[in-house]
Amino acid sequence: MRRTRGRWRGRTALLFGLVLAVVIAGCSSGSDPASTGESARKPGEKITLTFWSWVPGVDKAVDLWNSENPEVQVKLEKIPAGNSGGYAKMYSALEAGTGAPDLAQIEYQELPGFLLEGGLVDLAKYGAKDDAGKFVEWQWRQVAFGDGVYAIPQASGPMAFFYRQDLFSRWGIEPPKTWDEFRQAAQTIRAKDPKAYISTFPPGNAGWFAGLAWQAGAKWFGVEGDTWIVNINSPETRKVAEYWDGLVRDKLVKTDPDFQNGWYKDLQEGAIVGWVSAQWGDAILAGNAPQTAGKWRVAPIPQWDTGSFVSANWGGSTTAVLKGAKYPKEAKDFAVWLNTDPESVDLLIQGGYGWPAAKDALSGSALDKPYDFFGGQKINDVFAEADKAIDQDWTWIPTTAATYQHLGDGFQKAIAGQGTFVDAVEAAQVKTEADLKAKGLKVKAG
Amino acid sequence: MRSRRSDRAAAAGFLAPFLLLFTAFFALPIGYAVYQSLLAVERIGPLGLGGSRTVFAGLSNYRAALTDDAFLDSITRVLLYAVVQVPLMIGLATILALLLDAAAARGVPFFRSAYFLPYGVPGVIASILWGFLYVPGVSPIIDLLDAAGLTVNLLDSGSVLWSIANIVTWEFAGYNMLVIVAQLKAINSELYEAARIDGADAWQVIRHVKLPLIRPAIVLTTVFTIIGTLQLFAEPLVLRPTSTAINTSYTPNLAAYTQAFVNNNYSLAAAQSVILAVAACVLSFGFLRLVGRREDDR
């Protein structure tokens, strides 16, 4: 008995050793710099590029490209929106080394993250710098890092205030010009209708909060040499956090999550009568609260100071070529076409993709028209003004997603009665510094 | 001699398929996770454009995991959850099984299938379905309670853990019940007769005959439930967007998922997973030892 057990122990050890050997062999081969496998397309050769995106309407633009380019076909695969699982899918495909698409939808705030993981192809090698003049300058700056160009800009999200004009005028409220007036309007609405709120503070949506901080003059991130500067806990951000702390404390806004069934229901039923949001919000409202058509209007975003008009940006997206793409030149050409060709841009506008990154896209495009949903208002005149009033130097860090989580987790805690939004901002500062250090990067507080 | 050798060959033949799959899908991934948890990445330049390399990092990922408040909170949370959920689940499964086994029970096949049916619904789908019943403005339950003058929030920080417990109980109580039913069916009916002749009533039969004899099934389902509660993942992940109280590291599994797929820190995720696996091992083997010792005491 003892003998056999001893033998088994020996075999187990042998097995374990084998396992370990295989594991280590597997790892070391995995960490080799992967050969890129790029090739140049021969004239007349037919190729297919895969493209992961979640933007509504992009399928029509892809169809248009495919009908015009029989040799370079694009196969669109719809994925969940970035932070809802789309990025996780891309990162795991990149980590696995197979299964990643040639092209992918990546938002501005996530580009440095993909860059850090070595997931993006430098398009400057394929002549992307010649395309710079076709795009709005600040959006181009969002995709250019060092000497490289790592994505083609698609759209941004200049912010304004959507509101229910019918209810506002019934209650005798003017659309608020300043954040003080916004608070007064919130109070009046609570007094006039116990079910109605001016808006929600979506605790899980730190991207929205970043937009508001951006408007207040905050600049969360910067680079000095090879060191990241983190300045989330700045007086500007704290001012915004304190302001919303006050609104929540006095029960002047809801604290339910946005983009959820409950929120859509509130929009449909007039329980939420306003939304500080980006230009692409028009399609969200029209698509999810169709019964309120004609009742909404758009006003400029409320101001902190009445002196000069300042807006902000929320969201914004690019088309990037991912590492491993076999035909990067063709992929880049498609990305440039998708985001600059007037017909393609019109199709994307109709889907509600945001504010075009292509230069001078407003006049004559699908944006330049009265909207029935907004009672015939030419809402994009408001957004055009907003677009001109955005601080253009904002940059993101490679761990933006984690920063969003820290803020979101802190906001949730505050709503559960543990601390304030200001505490959340302070915690996010400390944790973001730690995140960057954990990535092996240099960092200091701003 | 010859027969011993052929015995051994036969044993190896029977064991090989299991060992092969066990190695490929169990030992290898665990080994790889342990290996990965000992690594870290160093980078040159603010965007890593100067290159990067993977280095041996010792136990620093474990240190990072065990000093992260959010991860420790998630462990405390699932332990609290397990303290409530395990007795509740096992109690309910046992009661349902005993009810179905009772002499006076009617419609047994129907109820057995009805209780078991939720197990056939995948956890993600179950969470989506229950999610609709939890979200204010959409949920008929909340509307009814509102009409009755009760305002409840099933998704805020005080209640969402128990809303999740409700989903998990709905999903798995029927399955656990079925395991116990199977053992009840295996009890020799002569024992009941003997008990009845000795004057035992239905309660006494349950207490002195049925419960002691279904003990192994109860132990088994308890271990399943302990492991299941520690690994809580799909339900909070699906409910997260609708709730303001589920953060990105609500449970240890969710924390590891976030580190791996959102923050691209596979090494920290691996360390967190190894810690969770060790905790699950300690708790389930600890429980088995505890009940085993009591058995010996008898």
Side-chain angles (χ1 to χ4, degrees):
Chain A
M1 194 61 202
R2 179 157 295 167
R3 240 191 96 212
T4 49
R5 195 183 283 172
R7 181 171 299 161
W8 270 111
R9 197 170 292 155
R11 277 190 203 168
T12 321
L14 183 72
L15 184 76
F16 191 69
L18 267 175
V19 166
L20 217 62
V22 173
V23 168
I24 289 163
C27 298
S28 48
S29 69
S31 47
D32 282 345
S35 57
T36 51
E38 283 168 18
S39 42
R41 188 173 72 95
K42 297 172 202 80
E45 186 190 355
K46 210 180 152 190
I47 61 167
T48 302
L49 305 169
T50 45
F51 177 26
W52 285 1
S53 176
W54 63 85
V55 170
V58 73
D59 45 343
K60 293 190 183 112
V62 169
D63 287 347
L64 179 65
W65 166 273
N66 283 340
S67 67
E68 290 174 0
N69 296 275
E71 287 180 0
V72 181
Q73 292 285 295
V74 173
K75 186 163 157 262
L76 177 73
E77 289 172 8
K78 286 264 183 166
I79 58 163
N83 287 328
S84 314
Y87 295 140
K89 196 172 154 79
M90 292 177 206
Y91 279 126
S92 12
L94 286 168
E95 172 80 7
T98 59
D102 300 284
L103 292 135
Q105 186 84 31
I106 299 180
E107 288 158 290
Y108 288 127
Q109 80 272 7
E110 199 59 30
L111 277 180
F114 275 93
L115 209 49
L116 193 71
E117 301 303 325
L120 303 178
V121 173
D122 180 3
L123 300 175
K125 285 189 220 155
Y126 305 98
K129 282 190 174 160
D130 302 339
D131 299 309
K134 297 175 186 162
F135 295 91
V136 176
E137 200 195 330
W138 81 269
Q139 297 203 50
W140 186 262
R141 246 184 284 152
Q142 294 278 322
V143 300
F145 299 90
D147 286 336
V149 175
Y150 290 91
I152 301 298
Q154 179 164 78
S156 65
M159 292 178 82
F161 179 56
F162 294 91
Y163 67 102
R164 281 283 298 272
Q165 193 259 340
D166 58 327
L167 298 174
F168 269 54
S169 69
R170 187 193 302 163
W171 296 328
I173 309 169
E174 289 289 311
K177 290 196 174 59
T178 64
W179 287 109
D180 280 341
E181 289 181 24
F182 184 87
R183 189 187 158 89
Q184 286 157 16
Q187 278 167 332
T188 314
I189 291 165
R190 297 299 299 130
K192 296 279 183 186
D193 181 347
K195 276 211 149 101
Y197 290 85
I198 194 165
S199 127
T200 187
F201 180 91
N205 204 329
W208 174 79
F209 182 79
L212 296 182
W214 188 336
Q215 188 217 3
K219 195 166 178 326
W220 284 0
F221 312 116
V223 187
E224 263 174 30
D226 59 355
T227 305
W228 285 101
I229 311 295
V230 177
N231 196 12
I232 300 172
N233 188 18
S234 66
E236 295 85 2
T237 315
R238 295 173 67 97
K239 176 172 74 177
V240 177
E242 259 165 41
Y243 176 80
W244 288 94
D245 262 330
L247 289 180
V248 170
R249 196 183 320 117
D250 299 339
K251 302 204 171 7
L252 298 176
V253 290
K254 281 201 158 194
T255 52
D256 292 335
D258 51 5
F259 303 102
Q260 293 299 320
N261 290 322
W263 182 72
Y264 294 137
K265 191 107 193 283
D266 284 345
L267 290 174
Q268 291 158 11
E269 295 181 342
I272 285 179
V273 301
W275 187 26
V276 178
S277 179
Q279 190 270 343
W280 42 261
D282 66 340
I284 307 276
L285 288 176
N288 291 290
Q291 55 274 73
T292 59
K295 297 174 177 168
W296 291 86
R297 297 292 183 278
V298 180
I301 189 168
Q303 297 294 302
W304 289 104
D305 301 308
T306 40
S308 61
F309 180 73
V310 186
S311 184
N313 180 65
W314 176 20
S317 220
T318 70
T319 311
V321 178
L322 295 193
K323 182 131 287 173
K326 250 182 110 184
Y327 302 99
K329 168 81 174 62
E330 283 73 15
K332 184 223 85 178
D333 290 345
F334 166 74
V336 171
W337 174 89
L338 178 72
N339 298 315
T340 55
D341 180 83
E343 271 184 81
S344 168
V345 168
D346 258 7
L347 289 169
L348 292 171
I349 288 170
Q350 278 153 23
Y353 85 137
W355 192 256
K359 214 176 232 175
D360 305 324
L362 177 59
S363 64
S365 77
L367 291 169
D368 193 14
K369 57 151 200 213
Y371 282 68
D372 291 341
F373 187 83
F374 296 94
Q377 187 187 5
K378 279 179 82 177
I379 60 167
N380 287 310
D381 292 347
V382 179
F383 289 107
E385 288 305 310
D387 188 49
K388 287 180 202 147
I390 295 171
D391 173 20
Q392 306 195 342
D393 290 328
W394 186 277
T395 50
W396 299 103
I397 48 168
T399 56
T400 309
T403 299
Y404 277 7
Q405 287 164 22
H406 302 320
L407 282 169
D409 291 357
F411 292 157
Q412 287 183 349
K413 263 182 147 172
I415 283 167
Q418 303 163 21
T420 61
F421 295 157
V422 176
D423 294 338
V425 167
E426 284 169 7
Q429 167 81 29
V430 175
K431 289 181 176 175
T432 299
E433 289 173 30
D435 290 338
L436 287 167
K437 267 184 215 139
K439 288 277 174 193
L441 301 168
K442 291 185 194 153
V443 59
K444 71 176 191 200
Chain B
M1 212 43 203
R2 230 181 65 89
S3 80
R4 272 199 70 181
R5 191 175 295 165
S6 67
D7 275 358
R8 218 176 283 155
F14 281 118
L15 281 172
F18 164 75
L19 280 178
L20 199 72
L21 293 174
F22 179 79
T23 311
F25 296 108
F26 194 80
L28 263 176
I30 288 182
Y32 185 55
V34 172
Y35 169 76
Q36 223 176 7
S37 71
L38 302 174
L39 303 177
V41 182
E42 278 179 359
R43 292 184 167 85
I44 300 157
L47 287 162
L49 296 177
S52 68
R53 61 201 180 99
T54 304
V55 295
F56 182 74
L59 294 175
S60 69
N61 288 313
Y62 290 90
R63 205 175 308 126
L66 291 173
T67 52
D68 177 8
D69 289 342
F71 183 65
L72 295 178
D73 281 352
S74 75
I75 294 180
T76 324
R77 192 174 290 117
V78 287
L79 288 179
L80 167 72
Y81 172 78
V83 166
V84 177
Q85 176 68 10
V86 174
L88 183 81
M89 171 78 86
I90 300 308
L92 186 66
T94 311
I95 290 169
L96 289 177
L98 289 171
L99 280 174
L100 287 180
D101 195 57
R106 296 276 177 277
V108 170
F110 169 76
F111 282 108
R112 197 169 46 211
S113 318
Y115 295 150
F116 183 67
L117 208 58
Y119 182 71
V121 179
V124 171
I125 309 291
S127 307
I128 293 173
L129 294 176
W130 278 102
F132 278 111
L133 297 177
Y134 290 159
V135 174
V138 181
S139 161
I141 296 175
I142 292 180
D143 284 352
L144 277 177
L145 289 172
D146 255 352
L150 280 171
T151 310
V152 290
N153 188 338
L154 299 171
L155 293 166
D156 70 7
S157 57
S159 51
V160 73
L161 190 60
W162 313 119
S163 299
I164 292 171
N166 175 54
I167 301 178
V168 175
T169 310
W170 179 82
E171 278 180 274
F172 293 103
Y175 171 79
N176 289 325
M177 173 207 74
L178 211 63
V179 174
I180 298 170
V181 164
Q183 187 134 32
L184 275 170
K185 291 273 169 255
I187 295 174
N188 191 339
S189 59
E190 286 170 10
L191 286 173
Y192 298 151
E193 249 167 64
R196 225 171 290 133
I197 288 166
D198 285 343
D201 63 18
W203 285 113
Q204 285 166 326
V205 169
I206 287 177
R207 214 177 140 306
H208 297 291
V209 181
K210 289 184 178 178
L211 281 180
L213 287 171
I214 59 173
R215 200 165 174 274
I218 293 177
V219 169
L220 181 74
T221 50
T222 306
V223 171
F224 284 170
T225 310
I226 289 174
I227 295 172
T229 51
L230 290 181
Q231 292 186 344
L232 198 60
F233 176 68
E235 292 80 6
L237 183 71
V238 172
L239 288 185
R240 202 178 108 71
T242 65
S243 166
T244 55
I246 301 177
N247 65 25
T248 47
S249 46
Y250 196 70
T251 70
N253 257 347
L254 203 54
Y257 169 84
T258 304
Q259 285 305 337
F261 298 111
V262 181
N263 299 344
N264 291 302
N265 197 338
Y266 289 91
S267 297
L268 182 55
Q272 291 178 333
S273 311
V274 171
I275 291 169
L276 179 63
V278 170
C281 259
V282 167
L283 283 180
S284 25
F285 283 109
F287 174 75
L288 284 176
R289 271 199 83 163
L290 190 77
V291 294
R293 192 174 298 157
R294 278 222 207 115
E295 191 103 298
D296 297 340
D297 289 348
R298 259 192 212 155

